[in-house]
Amino acid sequence: VTRLSHFLSTGAMRNIASPVIFTLVVMSSPTRQASFAHALSMMSGSGGGLQDKSVVVGLNAAFQKRFVLPSSTPLTPGSVHRADAVEEGLGGKGQDVAVTLRHLWPDAASRPLALAQFVGTGAGGDAVMSLLEATLGEGGSWDALTVRCKSAMRTCTSIIGSDSTTELVEPSGVVEDDEIDKLLGRIDALASSEETETGKNLGAASLCIMGSMPPGCADDTYGDLCSAVSGDITLTVIDSVIGLKPLLASLTSKRGSETYKGGAVLKINASELCRLAGVEQSGASEEDGVSSDELKAAVEKFKSDFVASEALNYMAITDGRHPAHLVKVEDSSLFRLGVVDLSSDQTLYPIGAGDSVAAGTLAAWLHLRDAFKSPLADNCREALAKFRDGIDIEGIDNASSDMLAAFAFGVSCGSASCLQAENSVVDTKDVVQLLSKIPCPSTC
């Protein structure tokens, strides 16, 4: 399959394309190979393949509604509330990442996005597709890995009061086996068309794996997707703890190559890390934050339990309003990163902020690896370079300095998204201003 698809993608023997695709259908699952052909046709004339693409995996997509209360009205459980406005938009962690990236990358053509997701039926699913088309660009390849499924589209509802935002999340419909096969078939096509003359698949430029999976997906689904998409050059950001062990095992197998030049970071909340590692927190609630000793213990236990040392380069740990931390997994070096206090009289919109952190970290990491190919907005380039040059930690290596700067940029994106009503939308002016306010990082 790989060799035949590469043969076709070079432009040779186009007159036998149909018989070859027919042969593929005979060779394997009809659903998967039909999807393979679909993806090849979508890539025709559009620079198909993975090498220049950023693939965002957010299987649990959603249609977002915002129920906006009058500006002076807090949400009171048990009371009747009348909205000033009801707004509609995109929801789900994968879509949130794509939205943030599009604001950071104003030239959509320079860094093609492929959004791997299941979009349900009905008016909600149709609305999501239309919103994505408007947001990510008409005629692009963003939907090359998007599969419409039989289940109804779930809706997430944000109730925005004067003092807080409450999120109501509907359960997801079941994804069927043939729908999963469709997605895997399309990824097969993208990966196969990227094979070079030497038989090497470099993989996507970047891979972002976000959030939960809908019912019907096996525990190793993310691992399978990573195996298909990731290659020697891929920078991977993970913001999920679902199917984490098989996913990390997939990354470990990639890193065994002598030509590997990619990297992987796990973005995770400090309290979630403690729960995974079985480390008890001393604070009364998550709002109290995690102590340095608790964090160090959780990191070591996590590395042991999840065999993470061979899979990950870094762990990017957020802790709400408390300082964030970056861990260099190889030697457990721990770096402290302050966050900007957003406390004010203005209404904040935190839904999707963590997804903007992941997106911003990825965009900055890609830029610092290869600024020549980077589509990052000019004002963000300048601010990121200034922050990176200002890191002055004795003994820190260049790669860790780059990752620390990228994470700081991501944290600034998360804060900037809280200033916008729509999920994960950022104004690059806000990002730049907030990044300038982050104190110089330090060791712990």
Side-chain angles (χ1 to χ4, degrees):
V1 171
T2 298
R3 289 175 181 172
L4 284 170
S5 62
H6 175 62
F7 186 56
L8 290 173
S9 69
T10 63
M13 300 291 283
R14 293 195 183 276
N15 60 313
I16 65 163
S18 294
V20 170
I21 294 300
F22 174 76
T23 303
L24 295 177
V25 172
V26 172
M27 289 166 57
S28 186
S29 149
T31 300
R32 188 160 180 172
Q33 293 309 335
S35 193
F36 187 103
H38 168 81
L40 283 178
S41 68
M42 291 189 68
M43 293 184 299
S44 175
S46 64
L50 283 172
Q51 188 173 347
D52 292 326
K53 280 188 172 59
S54 287
V55 176
V56 180
V57 178
L59 301 185
N60 228 351
F63 178 53
Q64 186 76 38
K65 283 191 173 183
R66 287 179 293 277
F67 189 89
V68 184
L69 301 181
S71 58
S72 60
T73 304
L75 174 63
T76 305
S79 298
V80 175
H81 292 285
R82 289 178 173 82
D84 262 3
V86 176
E87 302 166 348
E88 298 178 344
L90 297 168
K93 294 176 75 66
Q95 293 176 359
D96 286 348
V97 166
V99 168
T100 299
L101 288 176
R102 270 295 163 255
H103 284 83
L104 297 175
W105 295 338
D107 181 6
S110 62
R111 177 67 71 187
L113 279 173
L115 187 51
Q117 60 178 347
F118 297 107
V119 174
T121 58
D126 294 342
V128 164
M129 295 299 288
S130 296
L131 288 165
L132 284 168
E133 188 79 358
T135 302
L136 303 183
E138 294 184 8
S141 59
W142 64 265
D143 59 344
L145 302 179
T146 292
V147 174
R148 296 299 298 267
C149 58
K150 301 180 183 70
S151 296
M153 190 77 216
R154 69 170 180 151
T155 298
C156 296
T157 303
S158 300
I159 305 175
I160 302 169
S162 60
D163 58 349
S164 64
T165 298
T166 300
E167 184 80 350
L168 306 177
V169 180
E170 290 184 3
S172 302
V174 176
V175 176
E176 299 183 3
D177 289 346
D178 66 324
E179 293 162 347
I180 296 173
D181 279 346
K182 283 183 183 179
L183 175 58
L184 292 173
R186 293 182 186 185
I187 291 175
D188 285 345
L190 280 173
S192 298
S193 69
E194 191 56 50
E195 187 183 10
T196 66
E197 293 180 1
T198 60
K200 191 66 178 175
N201 176 18
L202 297 175
S206 66
L207 171 63
C208 198
I209 297 178
M210 301 295 299
S212 60
M213 293 186 281
C217 293
D219 192 52
D220 59 357
T221 299
Y222 281 156
D224 289 344
L225 293 175
C226 179
S227 295
V229 172
S230 181
D232 285 348
I233 65 168
T234 308
L235 297 182
T236 302
V237 173
I238 303 167
D239 188 357
S240 175
V241 296
I242 305 300
L244 193 53
K245 285 188 175 181
L247 173 55
L248 294 180
S250 173
L251 285 169
T252 298
S253 68
K254 296 288 182 180
R255 291 166 66 90
S257 167
E258 292 182 358
T259 57
Y260 182 78
K261 297 180 180 178
V265 58
L266 173 67
K267 175 198 163 285
I268 190 168
N269 175 268
S271 294
E272 191 169 38
L273 175 62
C274 287
R275 284 194 295 271
L276 279 179
V279 173
E280 188 175 347
Q281 294 179 234
S282 56
S285 70
E286 290 187 12
E287 292 293 320
D288 296 325
V290 176
S291 72
S292 179
D293 288 342
E294 291 164 353
L295 195 61
K296 291 177 181 178
V299 166
E300 293 305 320
K301 187 69 163 47
F302 176 84
K303 286 171 59 176
S304 174
D305 290 352
F306 286 81
V307 198
S309 296
E310 299 300 320
L312 299 172
N313 298 85
Y314 299 97
M315 295 170 64
I317 305 170
T318 57
D319 197 9
R321 59 187 175 85
H322 302 283
H325 291 83
L326 180 74
V327 178
K328 183 181 178 183
V329 174
E330 181 182 15
D331 60 8
S332 297
S333 298
L334 188 64
F335 306 99
R336 184 179 185 272
L337 188 66
V339 297
V340 178
D341 183 7
L342 292 179
S343 300
S344 68
D345 293 334
Q346 67 178 320
T347 301
L348 299 177
Y349 306 91
I351 306 302
D355 306 332
S356 292
V357 174
T361 300
L362 180 61
W365 198 12
L366 279 167
H367 174 79
L368 290 169
R369 179 174 73 172
D370 190 349
F372 181 74
K373 290 185 177 180
S374 171
L376 195 64
D378 289 342
N379 60 339
C380 292
R381 287 170 173 255
E382 295 169 5
L384 180 60
K386 183 177 180 179
F387 189 92
R388 169 63 178 82
D389 291 343
I391 295 176
D392 185 20
I393 299 175
E394 185 177 354
I396 191 172
D397 59 278
N398 286 330
S400 296
S401 292
D402 284 350
M403 190 70 247
L404 195 51
F407 187 31
F409 184 85
V411 169
S412 299
C413 290
S415 297
S417 76
C418 293
L419 305 177
Q420 306 291 328
E422 193 171 347
N423 287 23
S424 301
V425 169
V426 297
D427 185 326
T428 57
K429 293 179 182 177
D430 291 333
V431 174
V432 167
Q433 183 182 35
L434 289 162
L435 182 60
S436 70
K437 293 181 179 180
I438 291 180
C440 187
S442 61
T443 55
C444 292

